[in-house]
Amino acid sequence: MKSKKSRLLIAVLAALASNAQAQTHNNDIQKDENDIEKIVITASPLNRTVLQSSTPVTILSGEELDQHQAATLGETLSSTPGVHGSYFGPVSSSPIIRGLDGPRIKVMQNGLDVSDASRVGPDHQVATETSTASQIEVLRGPATLLYGSGAIGGVVNVVDNRLPAERQEGFSGEAFAQYDNVANAKTVSTDLNMGSGDFVFHVDGYNRDTDDYKIPVPANIDETGGSGELANSAISAHGFNLGGGWITDDTRVALSYGSMDSEYGLPVEEDVYIKLQQDRYQGVVDWNNLSGPIEGVHFKAAYTDYEHTEFEGDEVGTSFKNESVESRLWADHQLINGWKGVIGLHYNYIDASALGEEAFTPPTKTDSIAAFLLEERETGDLLWQLGARVETLNHDVDNDFYSELDSSISIDDKRYTSLSGSAGVVWTINDQNSLAFNYAYSQRAPSASEMFSYGPHVGSQTYEIGGSFDINELDGVYSVSQSSQDLDKEVSNNVDLTYRYNTDRWNATLSVFYNKVSDYIFEQRTGLVYSGGDLITEAEFDADVALNGESDEEIDGLSVINFEQQDATLYGFEAQVDLHLTEELRWELFSDYTRAKLDEGGNVPRIPPMRFGSSLHYEKGNWHGEVEVIRNSKQDDIASYETETDGYTMVSSSVNYYLPLGNVDMTFYLQGQNLGDTEGRVHSSYVKDEVPLPGRSVSLGVRARF
């Protein structure tokens, strides 16, 4: 349901656009290219660019971000080398980086955790909006030094202007509107920044409404017949952010408030839908140009109140709540024996609960505190980067959750101390070539859901049993009991080697990685099914279905998964080449690959396949055209009880027309996705056999920058 305040806010911002000042495009590069020499990684306090990072980084901004805009963060990044999406329909798709997802990937809004429930279940939306973002940063490989053990696989940082960072005079911003026929989707958003003297203000808002989206084949992979729509895949979402700041040469104080509301269906359950609401308060204080050994002090903090409720028809099913407080304090120190860097503290508190008949995790309070150090030093052509972090984390579980399951279950508080360190170097060979090496040692404490889950997770069609429990079998009867052992910390030893080549015509990057993970935690399908309140084998379940003719899908027939640990090895590469064939014609190629094996035999589940992509860009005058082809290979390196996924090729194209109108730069565009109306199923999705990718779509949009 759309709120009147969101509609009014968007209308006001759109009206103000006509009074704004113009911005001009950089004519040195094509409009959908990033200038990697100038874009600063805001997720790092060292204020380095992509070329100066010892770890692989990708930044989407400007026209490139506009071209890949989607309803979910995972789909927005789905063409980024090394990044895939978990895909649970059009609204729930979380980033997967180098085969790692869930609690191993930190998703942030302006440098602090988004604090939603997307790390707990793939059917839960990431509570951030990309249509109002100014840039999205992807840090591949462990980024635990700043962001904690939850970043052992990487970081995605969504940056917007709600916390103003620079002074400005007058107005600037943008307004955006798009229609997509694949789901009768209508999206509008607007972003307005204004300032006078030392004061800057920001307002943004968005609204998205879609119907069920069209699919080229029947939803269920075992069905035959014509194409149709994916039932229960509609979206209604809106939100806004307000921010303001006082900025001088030496001081910055900024505060913001954001509100997000979303209602969306779960495609695997035709009468189940989710209502999400989040309120977020965020602030930042910077003191710069200080005298003495400390040159600057910085403080970030956020309070987030998140809740989503799953409805079954008109009845309330399960409610997830997540209340969190996070803060980070760090200081820049002067040169010490040639080394310059930051030292800081990081605190995080999470009060998470799931209430209802289908709650599968107990209410848990988690708090962590950490100290970190990042240092760098330049010696000739070498830039050395070092870092360390020590973190303590505590899980406090509410055992009342287990009382109806088994009164004997009593789980004590769990406390972990995690250590992380990294060493890297960037060698600038010459003006065109550089080589970067990074080694990271990272420890990760198990998440609450990995340890304490015990119940049906209808959204992913699974019955989850955490690592704090054992599955027992006696005379063909299966039962669950509390384990005498806890899950151990994951320990990752990750090596990255990155080569970069950058000239006026060429831009090429090749990264190879090797990640050895001890005590890797994964969701292992057990071959059991939860049906009628019991754990039975798949053969017994199939016999019951044959006898009764059908099963109750809302409770029965849930595949049982158990969180287990085993050493694992992950390795692979990302490659990207951007070549200007002529002043007007540009050719871009990319490929990525991740291989993930369990050391005792078998494969890590739901690992994306090898992927190849190629796009041709033509820009002449005010016109820009693009054709893109992406091939997802067949995935047959599968885990136990997992099925192979066929490969597929997606073809898309777009045409943009840029029109300056006084003080406003207009962009009109026409885009076509999946032009071949191809069946595509995402191997990393829990529901790949029930939820195919959308069919052929055509979208028409306009964006005004001022």
Side-chain angles (χ1 to χ4, degrees):
M1 299 292 292
K2 297 190 285 284
S3 70
K4 292 182 178 179
K5 62 181 180 181
S6 293
R7 286 174 170 170
L8 179 60
L9 178 62
I10 293 170
V12 170
L13 294 179
L16 287 171
S18 61
N19 296 321
Q21 298 175 347
Q23 292 179 338
T24 58
H25 295 286
N26 182 355
N27 294 322
D28 296 333
I29 60 176
Q30 288 199 357
K31 293 182 175 64
D32 60 347
E33 285 184 276
N34 282 326
D35 191 341
I36 61 175
E37 291 184 288
K38 298 180 180 179
I39 298 179
V40 175
I41 307 167
T42 67
S44 171
L46 299 177
N47 296 320
R48 290 295 185 178
T49 67
V50 172
L51 295 179
Q52 297 168 322
S53 172
S54 61
T55 58
V57 180
T58 297
I59 297 179
L60 267 68
S61 64
E63 298 286 347
E64 185 182 18
L65 177 57
D66 298 343
Q67 291 289 101
H68 293 89
Q69 198 68 243
T72 67
L73 180 61
E75 288 305 290
T76 298
L77 298 173
S78 61
S79 297
T80 302
V83 184
H84 293 253
S86 59
Y87 200 74
F88 203 96
V91 76
S92 299
S93 184
S94 298
I96 299 173
I97 301 178
R98 294 178 168 179
L100 300 178
D101 63 351
R104 298 181 182 89
I105 302 299
K106 183 74 73 172
V107 180
M108 304 188 303
Q109 183 80 52
N110 297 308
L112 296 174
D113 197 293
V114 294
S115 299
D116 55 22
S118 63
R119 309 295 88 194
V120 177
D123 54 319
H124 302 160
Q125 178 186 357
V126 178
T128 187
E129 175 60 30
T130 61
S131 68
T132 56
S134 57
Q135 69 183 48
I136 301 177
E137 304 163 352
V138 180
L139 284 66
R140 304 183 194 87
T144 54
L145 300 180
L146 271 178
Y147 307 110
S149 61
I152 197 171
V155 163
V156 176
N157 184 34
V158 180
V159 182
D160 60 22
N161 298 315
R162 73 178 71 181
L163 294 169
E166 297 179 348
R167 285 179 287 188
Q168 72 171 67
E169 292 293 330
F171 295 94
S172 67
E174 66 178 51
F176 164 76
Q178 175 182 278
Y179 173 79
D180 191 331
N181 76 331
V182 77
N184 192 30
K186 297 172 283 292
T187 304
V188 294
S189 69
T190 190
D191 178 305
L192 181 65
N193 305 286
M194 62 202 88
S196 178
D198 294 337
F199 293 93
V200 187
F201 302 95
H202 168 83
V203 185
D204 69 55
Y206 71 94
N207 192 85
R208 178 179 295 108
D209 279 296
T210 80
D211 298 333
D212 294 342
Y213 71 77
K214 299 173 185 176
I215 51 179
V217 294
N220 194 302
I221 198 170
D222 295 325
E223 295 178 356
T224 59
S227 61
E229 296 178 347
L230 184 65
N232 206 30
S233 60
I235 306 167
S236 177
H238 55 270
F240 66 89
N241 297 289
L242 307 173
W246 175 64
I247 303 172
T248 68
D249 292 340
D250 301 324
T251 307
R252 171 195 176 205
V253 179
L255 300 171
S256 71
Y257 165 72
S259 176
M260 171 181 287
D261 293 270
S262 181
E263 181 178 321
Y264 61 95
L266 295 182
V268 294
E269 295 289 326
E270 291 193 12
D271 60 344
V272 177
Y273 65 98
I274 288 177
K275 285 187 176 182
L276 177 156
Q277 205 281 326
Q278 184 191 72
D279 293 299
R280 182 176 176 91
Y281 302 84
Q282 197 164 345
V284 61
V285 180
D286 295 316
W287 293 278
N288 300 307
N289 304 318
L290 302 179
S291 59
I294 301 299
E295 295 182 337
V297 176
H298 314 275
F299 178 72
K300 284 185 176 181
Y303 167 76
T304 306
D305 187 6
Y306 170 95
E307 179 177 0
H308 86 242
T309 301
E310 297 176 358
F311 289 84
E312 300 177 15
D314 294 328
E315 296 183 4
V316 175
T318 304
S319 293
F320 290 82
K321 297 182 179 181
N322 192 8
E323 188 175 6
S324 70
V325 176
E326 183 179 12
S327 61
R328 185 180 293 113
L329 174 68
W330 72 97
D332 312 314
H333 68 75
Q334 289 185 345
L335 283 174
I336 301 177
N337 294 326
W339 290 91
K340 185 174 177 59
V342 300
I343 184 170
L345 298 173
H346 183 200
Y347 172 76
N348 198 12
Y349 171 80
I350 301 171
D351 185 356
S353 64
L355 305 174
E357 293 183 359
E358 295 172 354
F360 59 93
T361 57
T364 305
K365 296 178 180 178
T366 301
D367 62 89
S368 65
I369 189 167
F372 61 86
L373 176 70
L374 297 175
E375 297 291 330
E376 64 178 23
R377 179 179 182 178
E378 292 188 68
T379 57
D381 296 329
L382 301 177
L383 173 63
W384 301 90
Q385 297 174 340
L386 301 174
R389 179 187 178 102
V390 57
E391 173 184 286
T392 62
L393 180 145
N394 185 72
H395 292 303
D396 181 4
V397 185
D398 184 352
N399 283 294
D400 290 342
F401 172 84
Y402 301 111
S403 59
E404 295 184 4
L405 298 170
D406 187 342
S407 60
S408 66
I409 296 176
S410 180
I411 298 178
D412 297 330
D413 292 358
K414 306 298 181 185
R415 188 174 185 86
Y416 294 88
T417 299
S418 301
L419 302 174
S420 300
S422 72
V425 60
V426 180
W427 176 26
T428 303
I429 302 171
N430 52 42
D431 291 341
Q432 293 81 38
N433 298 272
S434 67
L435 194 64
F437 170 83
N438 191 75
Y439 165 73
Y441 172 87
S442 304
Q443 296 182 339
R444 181 179 77 89
S447 68
S449 61
E450 290 172 323
M451 298 181 67
F452 311 131
S453 293
Y454 191 162
H457 189 177
V458 177
S460 59
Q461 294 289 280
T462 57
Y463 190 89
E464 301 192 2
I465 299 176
S468 295
F469 304 95
D470 295 325
I471 300 176
N472 311 299
E473 186 268 336
L474 179 63
D475 298 329
V477 177
Y478 294 88
S479 61
V480 179
S481 62
Q482 185 174 344
S483 178
S484 59
Q485 296 182 338
D486 296 326
L487 290 178
D488 294 325
K489 293 178 293 187
E490 282 185 348
V491 180
S492 167
N493 287 273
N494 186 88
V495 175
D496 269 294
L497 183 64
T498 302
Y499 169 71
R500 301 181 178 111
Y501 180 73
N502 188 37
T503 69
D504 291 339
R505 292 188 60 208
W506 285 83
N507 187 311
T509 302
L510 172 64
S511 295
V512 295
F513 67 92
Y514 181 88
N515 192 4
K516 181 72 173 177
V517 186
S518 300
D519 295 315
Y520 180 86
I521 302 171
F522 63 101
E523 297 166 87
Q524 176 64 58
R525 291 188 180 271
T526 62
L528 301 176
V529 176
Y530 178 78
S531 178
D534 297 317
L535 302 182
I536 60 176
T537 65
E538 290 182 349
E540 290 174 318
F541 175 72
D542 291 340
D544 288 344
V545 171
L547 180 64
N548 298 319
E550 61 180 2
S551 64
D552 183 355
E553 294 183 355
E554 291 194 7
I555 299 177
D556 293 351
L558 299 179
S559 179
V560 178
I561 62 172
N562 189 205
F563 287 87
E564 299 182 3
Q565 282 191 299
Q566 191 181 137
D567 293 352
T569 303
L570 297 88
Y571 57 88
F573 69 86
E574 299 106 23
Q576 189 169 20
V577 177
D578 195 334
L579 170 62
H580 284 259
L581 300 171
T582 68
E583 290 185 1
E584 295 85 14
L585 194 61
R586 181 167 62 91
W587 186 27
E588 190 173 5
L589 299 166
F590 84 89
S591 180
D592 56 27
Y593 173 70
T594 297
R595 184 73 174 94
K597 300 187 292 185
L598 298 171
D599 287 8
E600 295 179 14
N603 300 302
V604 175
R606 296 181 311 281
I607 297 299
M610 179 178 281
R611 184 173 55 172
F612 303 90
S614 177
S615 58
L616 198 62
H617 307 251
Y618 180 79
E619 187 168 302
K620 183 73 171 180
N622 291 344
W623 292 92
H624 181 99
E626 173 184 339
V627 177
E628 181 180 63
V629 179
I630 297 179
R631 173 65 183 177
N632 288 267
S633 302
K634 178 180 180 179
Q635 181 56 288
D636 52 12
D637 293 324
I638 56 176
S640 300
Y641 304 103
E642 197 175 28
T643 59
E644 295 182 358
T645 304
D646 291 337
Y648 57 92
T649 301
M650 292 292 184
V651 180
S652 62
S653 66
S654 66
V655 176
N656 291 8
Y657 180 71
Y658 304 98
L659 178 64
L661 290 177
N663 292 329
V664 180
D665 283 351
M666 304 289 294
T667 302
F668 299 90
Y669 68 86
L670 178 68
Q671 289 183 340
Q673 302 286 336
N674 190 10
L675 296 179
D677 207 28
T678 302
E679 176 182 3
R681 297 187 183 268
V682 179
H683 182 77
S684 52
S685 171
Y686 278 87
V687 291
K688 65 170 186 173
D689 291 342
E690 295 81 25
V691 183
L693 291 170
R696 181 186 298 111
S697 71
V698 177
S699 60
L700 181 65
V702 59
R703 186 181 299 271
R705 283 196 169 92
F706 40 85

